[in-house]
Structure formats: C-alpha cells, structure tokens
Amino acid sequence: MQAAVVRGAEALGVPQARTSIWVYRLPSLLGAIAAALLTYWAALAFAGRRTALLAGLLFASTLIIGVEARLAKTDAVMAATVVGAMGAMARIYLGQTAGLWKLAAIFWSAIGLGLLVKGPITPMVPLLALVVLGVKERGVGWARGLKPLAGLAWALVLVAPWFILIMIATDGAFLRDSVGQDMLGKVSSGKESHGAPPLTYFAAFWATAWPMAPFAALAAPFVWAQRRSRQIAFLLAWLVPTWIVFELTPTKLPHYVMPLYPAIAIMCALAIERLGDQLMRGWRRVVLYWLPAFPILLVIVALGGAVWLKELPGLAFFFGLPIIVTLAYVMARWMAWIKLDALVFATPVLAIAAYFSIYSGVMTGATMNPFALSPRLAQALERVQAANPGCSDIAPATISYREPSLVFLTRTDLAMLGAEQAAAFLNEAPCRAVLVESRVESRFREALGLGAGVSVSERLQGININGGRKLDIGIYVRGAQP
C-alpha cells in the first residue's frame, strides 16, 4: 500500500516522494478512516443509524486511533480489517439471511488482507470469538453462513502469491525471522523493551481510549446485565478472549488492543440508546468528569515539560489552549443537566481541540527535542560533512539505533551494522561516519583498534520515544586521507 501511494505521488509530481515520510503515512490515515466508518457499519448490525453514529464517533475520537493514523505502520489498516471481518460475522451470527455470499466475501477478504498486513492478528480475533460463541451456543452451525471452504480458498488466493514470492526472494528467511523471532519472541518475552505485567492494557485504556473510556465505565453494568443476549454476547466474544491473550502476552504496546475498541464503542452506544440518562445517576456522574479532566491533564503535562526543558511549545498549542479550557469548563457544567447522548456528540469537538494542540503544538515543537534524536543525528551528519571539505560524500552507518526515521532523514543506503561490522566499515575507507550508542561503544572501540584518523566529532543525548530508553550516541568519523 505504501509502495503504491509513493508511486502515485511520484506520478503526480510530488517532490522527493520516496523520502517524504508523510506520503508513507497516507495508508495509515485511510486505514483509520476506514476503521471508523466500518465501526459505524458494524454497529448497524446491532441498532439503528443514530446508535451506529454514536459508536463511530466514540471510536473515531479515541486517542489511539488518532496516533495510529499519523504513523507509517500497519496497525490502522489492520484494525480496519478486523472491524470489517467482525461486522460481517456479526450479521451472520445475529441471523441475517439476505446476502450471505456477500457477507462471506467481505469476511474472508478482510481475513486475507489482514494476513497480508499483519499476519495472524486479524484471523485470531474472529477465531477466538467463534470458540467462545461455540461454547455459548453449544455448536457453530450458524458459522456455515460464512461459507468456510470457499472463503478459506479465497483468502488463500489473496495471500499465496505474495507469500510464495517473499519466500523465494528471501530463501525462506522471512518465515524464520517474522514468525520464529519476531512473533514468538513477543509471545515468550518482552520484545524490544516493551514487557509489562497483566492488566497493563486495562490501566492504559483510560488514556488511550479517551474520550470513550468514561462511557465504557458507565456502560459496564448494562453489559454485565445483558451478557447472555446474543448482541452483547457477540460483542463480548469480540472483546474479551483477545484482550486476555494480549494481557497475558509479555510484549505490550498500547495499540495492540485497538482492534477491540470498536466492540467497546458499540456496547457503549447500545447502553446509551437503551438506558440514556439513567446511566448518569448517582456516583456514575463522577466518572464523566474524566472527559474534561484528561485534556486539561495533557495541557498541564505539556506546560510542565516546557518549563522543565525551558522550551516553549509551538503556536498551535497556545491557539488551542483557550479552546480546550473553555470546552472543558462548559462540558463540566453541562454534566449537571445535558443528556448523555448529546454529551457523546459534543466530545469529538473537545477531542479535536486537544489533539490539534498536542499534535501540532507540542509534538512538532522544541519541547520534543529530547525525543527527536533522528533529526538531531541527521543535522550532526550534515555538520560532519561540512567539517570535512575533502570528502565529497560522507558514507554513514549506525549501530543499535535503527529507527526508520533516521533513514528518511539521512539517506536510504544508511548501513545498519553490528559493532564489529561497523568498525571494519570505518577502517576500510576514508570519508565515513558511524553513529555508536554507548551500550555497544566498548565493543566497537575494541574492534576498531588504533583507528588511525578516526575521531569523535560530537555526542548526542536523548530519549528513544520507541521504548523510552535514554540514549547516548557518539559520532565516529574518518575523514579524507591526508
């Protein structure tokens, strides 16, 4: 998808399309939009258009889908495939008899696309739901509507050509690396410094699912009371077993449970539709104060970071600040008398203001400098080039720090090496530079030996936003031969 978008951008004359990261983010944006629209479509299997709109708005407003829409990675598109598959499966489970072949085609096409995008995650969600519903119904006869034999064949037709070609191109290394190392490594241990205990996702939910999270708390008693109904049973089968799998898996990242959020959004919308303002009685009203409290908390954290770093956020932050404060205050006052469904329709406005200020005013401002290692390293390499006029081109390499952003900001032939390989790279020829993280620096220096003509031009410290680890990177340079 990213390759197609880049080719399209080149055909339209977009300058430097291959090295412009925003072009690669477009599939994620489209995937996030599709996931929100498909949440509306899936909700139509359970209720009318107004309730479906509530569900779509709740999911579309969540923090996590907003983040994933802005990252050039697989998860937003993968979430869309899960929602598409579960929306088709819900209609069949709930007894829709018209257009079964069409629903089966949607289901298995989503499975095939999901396999291509992110392997087993998309099929895992409906498979676990099928097991749970099979226990509840004491059989899976209803699943014949999914046309499993023809559908599985169609999914294999979608997946097989790519799988065969990638296995040929990599001599089988793809399967070994992606399944044997990456996937099984995440299942057996905390991969890439992302290990965390069970219930981590539950704790993170209150931030990553804002502004939907407080509505989920209000809807929980309704969901429990209705857990045996076919509608709620299906939504719980969508949500609970996969959530448990992710909670028990050592490697944890907030976006892993994102494909389950549409099920929560639909349950929230159903509760609001059937109980309305009854959900706001007594102590439950207090839960809703998390709606205006969370963006205010984001603002306080942003201002605290600015004071600590002695850097001001961007102008967008200050433009959005009065909007956030005003909307939060008005919403807090509204809670004394406004209807709950009207509050749901109002929350996306507050979310838009909060996200505008944070994404455009903080994430792109000077307060993010400690996390902006790749831009700072790219600038440092430019200084290395300027300081070595005898070199027409400084060839770079990096050890340990391998963020894709560094490739986009430097050059696509950036060598990503081990310590010994990097030492040999630097010793082999002049006009070369190596970025060396402190954790592997002793091994690198030992392999480098005397390193005639090699010097450390500068050091940069920062925080890797992918994992939160503090990094200290030295830039070793071998200039032109005297």
Side-chain angles (χ1 to χ4, degrees):
M1 292 176 181
Q2 291 175 339
V5 168
V6 171
R7 286 292 183 91
E10 287 179 329
L12 292 172
V14 174
Q16 299 179 327
R18 294 198 179 197
T19 54
S20 298
I21 185 62
W22 69 267
V23 180
Y24 293 78
R25 290 174 177 149
L26 291 177
S28 292
L29 173 62
L30 296 175
I33 293 171
L37 294 176
L38 286 167
T39 299
Y40 169 82
W41 175 75
L44 288 175
F46 301 87
R49 292 184 179 182
R50 179 180 174 83
T51 303
L53 181 59
L54 288 174
L57 282 175
L58 283 171
F59 175 68
S61 302
T62 56
L63 176 64
I64 193 65
I65 193 65
V67 170
E68 291 302 323
R70 291 165 170 81
L71 296 175
K73 50 202 282 290
T74 58
D75 296 279
V77 176
M78 186 267 292
T81 66
V82 172
V83 183
M86 297 306 290
M89 187 177 178
R91 284 164 167 79
I92 294 172
Y93 175 73
L94 295 175
Q96 180 172 324
T97 55
L100 285 182
W101 278 102
K102 179 181 177 181
L103 291 174
I106 293 172
F107 177 84
W108 289 105
S109 296
I111 295 296
L113 180 59
L115 281 167
L116 289 172
V117 171
K118 201 165 185 176
I121 303 302
T122 295
M124 179 183 74
V125 178
L127 179 61
L128 291 177
L130 183 68
V131 171
V132 171
L133 293 173
V135 173
K136 176 184 180 296
E137 302 290 343
R138 298 182 181 179
V140 291
W142 60 269
R144 284 194 293 268
L146 291 171
K147 313 297 182 185
L149 294 179
L152 184 60
W154 170 240
L156 291 176
V157 166
L158 293 176
V159 174
W162 176 87
F163 185 79
I164 292 169
L165 289 173
I166 199 68
M167 292 296 287
I168 293 173
T170 63
D171 292 326
F174 169 79
L175 190 63
R176 182 186 66 245
D177 294 342
S178 63
V179 177
Q181 295 182 17
D182 185 61
M183 188 181 75
L184 295 181
K186 291 177 180 178
V187 170
S188 61
S189 61
K191 189 79 170 174
E192 301 168 355
S193 302
H194 298 306
L199 298 181
T200 295
Y201 287 118
F202 178 77
F205 174 80
W206 303 101
T208 60
W210 183 89
M212 181 175 69
F215 295 103
L218 295 185
F222 164 80
V223 171
W224 177 255
Q226 298 292 319
R227 64 189 182 278
R228 291 186 176 87
S229 70
R230 289 178 67 83
Q231 289 185 328
I232 298 300
F234 180 87
L235 293 168
L236 288 173
W238 178 351
L239 168 68
V240 175
T242 303
W243 190 290
I244 291 174
V245 168
F246 284 133
E247 288 283 15
L248 295 178
T249 302
T251 300
K252 290 182 173 64
L253 287 168
H255 61 265
Y256 281 5
V257 294
M258 183 177 65
L260 310 180
Y261 284 10
I264 301 174
I266 296 171
M267 285 189 279
C268 290
L270 289 173
I272 292 168
E273 174 202 38
R274 297 182 188 179
L275 297 181
D277 296 338
Q278 296 179 43
L279 294 175
M280 298 177 68
R281 291 177 180 172
W283 62 269
R284 296 174 184 174
R285 189 185 300 275
V286 177
V287 176
L288 286 175
Y289 282 98
W290 186 236
L291 288 174
F294 182 70
I296 294 298
L297 180 62
L298 288 179
V299 167
I300 293 172
V301 170
L303 289 174
V307 171
W308 179 50
L309 297 169
K310 299 179 181 178
E311 298 280 2
L312 287 176
L315 286 177
F317 176 79
F318 294 102
F319 280 124
L321 186 59
I323 300 174
I324 294 172
V325 173
T326 302
L327 285 174
Y329 172 76
V330 169
M331 188 170 286
R333 293 298 300 269
W334 272 0
M335 288 175 195
W337 55 271
I338 197 170
K339 290 184 177 296
L340 187 60
D341 56 353
L343 196 62
V344 176
F345 284 112
T347 52
V349 181
L350 180 58
I352 289 169
Y355 300 158
F356 169 74
S357 294
I358 298 301
Y359 292 136
S360 299
V362 178
M363 299 295 288
T364 61
T367 51
M368 290 299 292
N369 278 343
F371 301 96
L373 267 172
S374 292
R376 292 163 58 206
L377 288 169
Q379 293 167 3
L381 288 174
E382 290 176 0
R383 291 193 292 271
V384 168
Q385 180 68 68
N388 289 272
C391 295
S392 59
D393 182 40
I394 296 285
T398 182
I399 309 174
S400 189
Y401 184 77
R402 301 186 175 191
E403 293 302 318
S405 53
L406 186 61
V407 178
F408 280 94
L409 293 170
T410 54
R411 44 199 279 179
T412 55
D413 63 348
L414 173 71
M416 297 185 179
L417 307 173
E420 292 76 14
Q421 294 172 309
F425 170 84
L426 201 59
N427 279 327
E428 281 173 1
C431 298
R432 292 185 172 184
V434 178
L435 311 177
V436 185
E437 201 208 321
S438 58
R439 291 187 308 157
V440 296
E441 199 161 8
S442 60
R443 284 175 50 206
F444 169 76
R445 292 176 69 95
E446 182 179 347
L448 187 66
L450 295 177
V454 175
S455 62
V456 180
S457 66
E458 59 182 291
R459 303 194 71 88
L460 293 175
Q461 289 79 36
I463 301 171
N464 188 355
I465 199 168
N466 184 15
R469 191 174 69 245
K470 291 183 178 180
L471 299 181
D472 181 356
I473 298 176
I475 304 176
Y476 286 72
V477 179
R478 186 178 183 193
Q481 295 284 9

